[in-house]
Amino acid sequence: MVLSWQINEAVELALRDSDVLLMLLDMVGHGDEDTKVRALLALGEVLKKGDDRTKLLVMNNGFGTIVSALESGSPRLVTKALRVLSVLVDGFPLRKDEFLYLVDVLVSLISDPKMEFASIEMANLVTKLTTSHPSPAIRSKISWLVSHENPRLKGMGLRLLLNVFVFTGDSKSVLTLLEEASDLLLGDGDDLLRDFVLDVLLEALHAELPGESIKSLPRLLSRVKKLAVQSDDFLIRSKAKKLQGRIEEILASYYRSRPDEAKNVLHRLVLEGEYEMAMDLAISLGDEFLLRWLSKTLEHEGIEDFTPRIQVVGGSSEGLPAVLEFSPPAPSSEFIEEEPPSGEVGEVSELPPMEKLVDDGDIAAIADVLRARPEGVSELESFLRSRDAEKRSNALWALSKLVSRLNNGELEILNPLIPVLFEVIESGNPWERNKAAKILAFLASRGGRRDVLESFLSFLGERPLSALEFFGYYFIYAWDEEAVSQVLKFLKDALTNPQLQFPALMVLDAITMWGIRPEIDRSIFEPILHGLLKSDDEEVRKIAARIMERFKTA
C-alpha cells in the first residue's frame, strides 16, 4: 500500500484497519512532498466515507500533523490540507485548544497575500468550523477577529460568531453580526468576501431574531438593495436579492403588529437624515398608511428628491397594498409608470417533495427545505411511523446524515421527531435502533436536549440495550462528566453480561477516546478487558485491545 499508492485500495484498507489509518497520518507528517500530498488525498477520502469514530481517531492522532501542513508554504500541501480539514470538522466541533490553534494558523494564511490561491478552500473550512465548548478565550479570539482592520479576517470572525454563539440565541452576538456584516457589504471590490458575508447573513436570518436585533435591519436592507442592483457579479446580485426578500419578510412580520413603533423608527431615521433607509423600511412593510405618512413627512422636511414614487398592485380594503418598488425621482422628472415584473406578485418557487428527496438521499436539499419550511418535519415523522420498512429505513438513513449537516441551532427543527425516535429505539430491527440512537445522541449533545440525555440515563436500569446504543454515540460527540460517572458504574456489570457486552464495550471505547481521565477506574476495567482479549468474537477482541492500549499509554 505504501509503495504502490493505489489510493482507492489504501482508502478501503484504512477504513477497515485503524493501524493503516495511523500509517497515513504518519506519512502526512514524515514523507516527502509527493508522499504527503497522496496521503492527504487518501485521508480526505477516508474521512468522507468514514463515521464519527474515524474522525475522532484522526483528531486524536493527526490533527496537529494536518494543520502543520498548512504552514509548509507549499501550494499543493496547503490546498490538500485545507480540504481534508474541511471534511474533518464538518459536523464535528473542535475542542478549545484545537479550535484556537487552527484559527491562529488560518489567520496567518489569510493575512499572507501569497496564499490568495487558497482563498476558496479557506472560506469553505471556516464555514464549517465550530467548537463544542465555547470559552472566554474563544469569545475573545472571535471578538478580536470581528474588530480587525483586515476585511477578510473580520469576515472570518463573523462566520465564527455565527457558528459558535449566534445559534445559541445570544442577542448581543446577533446584533454585532448584523451591524459588522453591513459594513463589509459595500467595501472595496472583493467579491469573494461579499459572497462569503451574504452566505453568513442568509444563514443567520433563517433563525429567529431577538427583538433588539430588528433595529439594525433597515440599515442592512438599504445596503443589500444597493448590492442587488449595483454588483457586476450575477451570483452576488442573486444572493443579495434573496437576502433582501428575507429581511423585508422579517421587518413586515415584526412591525405590522406594531404600527406605532414602526412610525417612531421611520421618524427617527428621517431626523437622522437616513431618508433612503426610511423609504426602504416603509416599502418593505407595504403599509399604505405608513407610506403616505412618510411621504408627507419628507415633503414637510423639504426632502423632495426622496418623495416616494410608489407602484401599488392590488391592495385590499384594509390598506395593505403590495408595493413593488420605489426610486427617488430626479428633481424635474415626471412620473413614469414602470411595467410590473413578470409572474405573480410574491410568487415563491415550488419546493421539491420531501418523499422524493428522502428516496434520493439528497441531504443538502432536505436541509434547505426544512430551513425554508420547518413544518416539513411532519412528513419525516410520517415516514418514520410508516409500515413500509423501506420508507422507514430511508428516512432514518437521511436523518442520520442530516443531523451532522445542520448547525447546532438548526437542530431544533428536528425536535418534533423525538417521540417517534424513542419508539424506534425499541425496535426489534438492530439497524433501525442504531440509526435512532445516533440521531437522538446528536439532538442531546449538540441540540441541547438535556431531557433526552436524562431519559437515557434512566433507561440504564430499565432498557439497558437502548441506553448503551445511545451512549455509544453520545460520548463520541460530548464529554459530560456527570453522565460519564453514572454510565461507568453501570458498565462494570454490563461488560460481563453476554447480551450487553458488545454495546457496553462500544460505550467504554467512546469514553476512553477522550483520554484516560480520573473518572475511569482502571483497576475495575483492566481485568475485564484482559478477559475480553480471549473472546471468540474478533471484533470484541479488537476493541478491547484498543482500549487496553489507551490504558497503557495514558
Side-chain angles (χ1 to χ4, degrees):
M1 186 277 292
V2 176
L3 297 177
S4 68
W5 276 111
Q6 298 295 321
I7 289 180
N8 289 336
E9 183 180 345
V11 169
E12 295 305 318
L13 286 171
L15 287 168
R16 292 198 300 267
D17 189 337
S18 60
D19 289 338
V20 177
L21 180 53
L22 293 174
M23 286 174 57
L24 282 177
L25 292 171
D26 185 65
M27 294 165 80
V28 172
H30 298 101
D32 57 30
E33 183 171 324
D34 286 342
T35 299
K36 289 179 179 179
V37 167
R38 290 166 180 157
L40 285 168
L41 283 170
L43 187 56
E45 292 303 311
V46 170
L47 289 169
K48 288 176 187 176
K49 296 180 179 180
D51 56 16
D52 286 332
R53 293 175 189 275
T54 306
K55 288 188 175 183
L56 189 56
L57 180 64
V58 173
M59 287 296 307
N60 287 339
N61 294 277
F63 177 75
T65 302
I66 300 168
V67 175
S68 66
L70 298 180
E71 302 174 289
S72 66
S74 162
R76 291 200 301 158
L77 281 178
V78 170
T79 303
K80 299 297 185 297
L82 286 168
R83 290 173 182 169
V84 169
L85 287 166
S86 291
V87 180
L88 178 59
V89 306
D90 190 7
F92 202 90
L94 300 184
R95 290 162 284 203
K96 183 191 79 170
D97 291 342
E98 296 162 344
F99 181 89
L100 291 173
Y101 173 37
L102 180 53
V103 166
D104 283 340
V105 173
L106 286 172
V107 166
S108 297
L109 289 178
I110 293 170
S111 303
D112 186 351
K114 291 184 291 185
M115 292 294 155
E116 178 68 23
F117 67 87
S119 295
I120 293 176
E121 282 80 10
M122 285 188 275
N124 289 339
L125 173 55
V126 172
T127 296
K128 298 169 183 174
L129 188 56
T130 188
T131 181
S132 54
H133 294 93
S135 67
I138 288 175
R139 183 178 284 277
S140 175
K141 177 66 72 175
I142 293 175
S143 297
W144 176 78
L145 285 167
V146 169
S147 61
H148 207 283
E149 293 180 358
N150 183 321
R152 288 197 174 181
L153 291 180
K154 183 189 283 284
M156 174 184 175
L158 293 176
R159 166 49 80 171
L160 295 179
L161 188 69
L162 173 66
N163 291 357
V164 177
F165 293 109
V166 168
F167 285 126
T168 66
D170 184 339
S171 58
K172 184 178 178 182
S173 295
V174 176
L175 189 59
T176 299
L177 186 146
L178 295 177
E179 291 177 347
E180 296 292 344
S182 176
D183 291 336
L184 286 178
L185 288 178
L186 295 182
D188 55 20
D190 189 341
D191 282 342
L192 181 64
L193 177 60
R194 287 199 188 101
D195 184 73
F196 184 83
V197 173
L198 286 170
D199 284 338
V200 170
L201 288 167
L202 281 165
E203 199 169 319
L205 294 182
H206 271 297
E208 185 175 348
L209 290 184
E212 55 266 38
S213 303
I214 300 295
K215 66 182 181 182
S216 63
L217 291 183
R219 174 185 175 85
L220 179 60
L221 176 61
S222 289
R223 296 196 170 190
V224 170
K225 288 183 76 171
K226 285 181 181 177
L227 195 60
V229 174
Q230 296 174 0
S231 176
D232 295 328
D233 189 298
F234 170 78
L235 290 176
I236 288 179
R237 291 200 307 273
S238 177
K239 284 186 181 181
K241 287 176 182 176
K242 184 177 179 181
L243 180 58
Q244 174 187 335
R246 178 58 183 152
I247 296 171
E248 289 175 339
E249 179 186 339
I250 293 170
L251 288 169
S253 174
Y254 182 83
Y255 281 120
R256 274 182 180 164
S257 60
R258 301 171 174 87
D260 290 337
E261 186 177 341
K263 195 165 144 182
N264 290 337
V265 171
L266 291 170
H267 198 196
R268 176 177 56 79
L269 290 171
V270 171
L271 293 175
E272 292 174 355
E274 300 286 1
Y275 311 123
E276 192 168 354
M277 201 181 296
M279 282 309 310
D280 287 334
L281 174 57
I283 291 166
S284 72
L285 302 182
D287 188 313
E288 189 175 9
F289 167 77
L290 286 175
L291 285 163
R292 299 194 187 285
W293 174 85
L294 180 59
S295 177
K296 290 178 181 178
T297 302
L298 290 170
E299 289 176 8
H300 179 72
E301 295 288 333
I303 315 299
E304 295 180 0
D305 285 1
F306 284 90
T307 300
R309 172 148 52 99
I310 305 164
Q311 183 177 355
V312 178
V313 178
S316 66
S317 57
E318 287 79 17
L320 294 176
V323 180
L324 295 182
E325 194 49 271
F326 137 83
S327 60
S332 59
S333 67
E334 292 185 357
F335 178 83
I336 301 174
E337 184 161 326
E338 298 177 354
E339 291 293 325
S342 60
E344 296 293 326
V345 175
E347 184 177 7
V348 179
S349 59
E350 185 178 350
L351 295 170
M354 183 66 79
E355 186 168 6
K356 183 178 187 306
L357 296 179
V358 171
D359 289 345
D360 293 345
D362 193 340
I363 308 305
I366 294 171
D368 289 340
V369 169
L370 289 177
R371 289 178 183 125
R373 187 166 54 85
E375 63 273 14
V377 76
S378 62
E379 295 178 71
L380 293 173
E381 181 179 1
S382 70
F383 301 155
L384 293 176
R385 295 188 183 280
S386 172
R387 294 186 177 183
D388 185 330
E390 183 178 358
K391 188 172 288 188
R392 285 198 313 275
S393 296
N394 287 344
L396 283 166
W397 181 88
L399 284 166
S400 71
K401 299 296 181 184
L402 179 66
V403 287
S404 61
R405 181 173 289 267
L406 296 176
N407 288 301
N408 291 4
E410 294 174 327
L411 286 171
E412 66 180 15
I413 296 172
L414 304 181
N415 284 349
L417 300 178
I418 290 175
V420 67
L421 288 169
F422 268 103
E423 295 174 18
V424 177
I425 202 80
E426 297 301 316
S427 166
N429 183 319
W431 186 90
E432 291 187 359
R433 282 203 317 270
N434 182 270
K435 293 302 177 190
K438 177 179 180 179
I439 299 161
L440 287 167
F442 247 96
L443 296 177
S445 60
R446 299 182 187 173
R449 289 302 298 257
R450 186 81 187 177
D451 56 324
V452 172
L453 171 63
E454 296 294 342
S455 293
F456 278 103
L457 285 171
S458 71
F459 287 176
L460 284 170
E462 304 167 8
R463 308 176 213 171
L465 183 59
S466 300
L468 291 171
E469 291 187 326
F470 169 84
F471 285 114
Y473 283 109
Y474 180 80
F475 291 127
I476 293 176
Y477 308 136
W479 176 264
D480 186 319
E481 189 173 319
E482 183 181 340
V484 165
S485 296
Q486 292 188 54
V487 172
L488 284 173
K489 293 175 185 175
F490 180 78
L491 287 184
K492 178 182 177 183
D493 293 331
L495 286 167
T496 58
N497 181 332
Q499 292 182 322
L500 302 177
Q501 188 175 82
F502 186 76
L505 193 60
M506 295 298 285
V507 175
L508 187 60
D509 186 33
I511 290 173
T512 55
M513 281 180 180
W514 296 88
I516 307 304
R517 301 196 177 190
E519 295 85 355
I520 304 171
D521 188 339
R522 296 169 59 163
S523 65
I524 292 176
F525 293 107
E526 282 185 333
I528 299 174
L529 292 168
H530 274 299
L532 294 178
L533 291 174
K534 302 172 185 176
S535 170
D536 294 333
D537 188 321
E538 182 182 355
E539 194 64 25
V540 168
R541 293 198 306 271
K542 186 175 179 180
I543 298 170
R546 185 164 65 214
I547 299 171
M548 283 295 293
E549 186 62 28
R550 291 180 192 141
F551 281 138
K552 291 176 183 177
T553 57

